[in-house]
Amino acid sequence: QVQLVESGGGLVQAGGSLRLSCAASGLTVSTYAVGWFRQAPGKEREFVAAIGWTVSITDYADSVKGRFAISRDVAKNTVYLHMNSLKPEDTAVYYCAAGTLPVKLATTYNYWGQGTQVTVSS
């Protein structure tokens, strides 16, 4: 049974940092592409970051480049999203997803977690 569970969200002040985790079961993160997406109230879901089957293949949304970093721990079967210099506009529910390729299109991913709330205060 495939399951993705996000954790690490919470309330943080602007300029602070958080590390989100995506723990996978039923699949191996080293053989799947994993993406992070977010959805704020009243807005559509948007791409944040993705990592391919190797660490050398990554992609980021322009809005988070230089501030966020995606990584994979194969031994723990977990993908992380390191978020630094957080801004109020980063406030959203963050979701991880697994699929074939590290693309920006959400509909190409096969498995999704339930999300974790990130709130950044000004």
Side-chain angles (χ1 to χ4, degrees):
Q1 184 177 12
V2 175
Q3 187 174 43
L4 302 176
V5 180
E6 302 96 335
S7 62
L11 176 64
V12 64
Q13 293 183 336
S17 301
L18 285 173
R19 186 184 75 169
L20 305 184
S21 299
C22 177
S25 60
L27 63 81
T28 303
V29 298
S30 63
T31 59
Y32 281 80
V34 177
W36 285 95
F37 295 80
R38 66 187 183 186
Q39 188 165 24
K43 297 184 178 180
E44 63 183 18
R45 186 170 298 186
E46 66 175 348
F47 170 81
V48 177
I51 187 168
W53 59 94
T54 66
V55 177
S56 62
I57 302 175
T58 59
D59 195 19
Y60 298 92
D62 289 342
S63 60
V64 305
K65 284 183 178 178
R67 299 190 299 120
F68 291 10
I70 188 170
S71 65
R72 176 196 292 115
D73 188 329
V74 176
K76 296 182 179 179
N77 206 32
T78 299
V79 172
Y80 302 98
L81 183 68
H82 308 264
M83 305 187 296
N84 302 307
S85 301
L86 284 162
K87 305 174 181 180
E89 49 263 47
D90 294 319
T91 296
V93 177
Y94 283 71
Y95 302 88
C96 66
T100 304
L101 296 172
V103 297
K104 298 178 180 179
L105 186 61
T107 56
T108 63
Y109 292 83
N110 304 114
Y111 308 103
W112 290 82
Q114 294 300 305
T116 184
Q117 177 70 48
V118 172
T119 303
V120 184
S121 62
S122 60

